[in-house]
Amino acid sequence: MANVAARYARGLFETGVAEGHDTELRYGELLEGFVKGIAEIADFKSLLYAPQVSRDKKKRVLSDIFSDPADAHFLAFLKLLVDKGRLEMVSLISLDYKGLVLASRNVLEALIESAFPLDDKTVGKIAETFRKKTGASEIRATVRVVPGLVGGIRVSIGSEIYDGSARSGLDRLLTSMNTQGFHYGN
């Protein structure tokens, strides 16, 4: 399913790029707002996702919401999702779309995990270090406190994980001891 969502996201993104004037950014905002609306308004979600509601009715509702002529291609995209029975994938599509926008601007998102809260200055230094390491124009960092790390940090950027946590070091030491015949706790 993720590949299907990625294909739809890429199609909408490429349409926005082809239109120019940063339309791909506008489509991203519309997509994000649409997903937020579905999440926050239960009746709206029920109407759009209910199999007993006809595709025509769903498309009429969408046409009422996106009636601005500037939204015509975005509306056509949503109607295509309705026709293909893929509207329930819109949140996955939105995530993939956001990734495409960030990648087009060479911006990476990083998750910084630490055993303790980090101040803004420290987060900035970590982000700058990884910006240089990756060659990105910007690193957008999110920080999460994970007490089980004991100390140090773990940084995830895409599928790459940079683990400098004390927990990781202790785990490596224990593994090394076990492979050398030492058995902790026996």
Side-chain angles (χ1 to χ4, degrees):
M1 283 295 204
N3 288 339
V4 174
R7 285 197 309 266
Y8 279 104
R10 177 150 311 279
L12 181 62
F13 180 78
E14 289 176 356
T15 299
V17 169
E19 290 177 24
H21 308 293
D22 287 332
T23 303
E24 73 277 11
L25 297 177
R26 184 163 184 278
Y27 286 169
E29 291 167 358
L30 288 170
L31 195 54
E32 194 173 314
F34 182 69
V35 168
K36 187 176 179 182
I38 289 172
E40 292 177 355
I41 305 168
D43 290 342
F44 185 52
K45 180 178 183 175
S46 295
L47 176 100
L48 291 177
Y49 291 172
Q52 64 272 23
V53 176
S54 74
R55 289 179 176 174
D56 287 337
K57 181 171 183 172
K58 291 175 186 180
K59 290 192 290 188
R60 280 194 305 274
V61 168
L62 293 172
S63 293
D64 289 343
I65 295 169
F66 298 100
S67 58
D68 185 333
D71 298 337
H73 287 125
F74 184 76
L75 174 60
F77 171 77
L78 292 178
K79 286 181 176 182
L80 174 70
L81 293 180
V82 170
D83 286 338
K84 299 292 185 181
R86 303 281 193 196
L87 193 59
E88 289 184 27
M89 296 179 68
V90 75
S91 62
L92 291 174
I93 294 167
S94 181
L95 287 173
D96 284 330
Y97 194 95
K98 181 180 178 187
L100 291 169
V101 170
L102 292 175
S104 74
R105 283 155 173 67
N106 197 23
V107 174
L108 297 176
E109 292 185 307
L111 173 62
I112 302 171
E113 297 174 307
S114 171
F116 305 99
L118 300 173
D119 61 39
D120 290 342
K121 185 177 179 182
T122 302
V123 171
K125 286 180 180 179
I126 294 168
E128 180 60 17
T129 298
F130 281 93
R131 185 194 67 74
K132 289 176 181 174
K133 182 176 184 69
T134 62
S137 62
E138 179 185 346
I139 297 283
R140 292 192 182 162
T142 302
V143 179
R144 181 170 56 190
V145 175
V146 181
L149 292 179
V150 183
I153 63 167
R154 179 171 50 214
V155 179
S156 303
I157 301 174
S159 62
E160 295 290 325
I161 299 174
Y162 306 90
D163 196 342
S165 66
R167 171 86 272 151
S168 173
L170 291 170
D171 289 344
R172 284 191 304 271
L173 177 62
L174 183 59
T175 299
S176 174
M177 289 173 62
N178 285 337
T179 60
Q180 293 176 17
F182 295 102
H183 297 286
Y184 179 75
N186 287 341

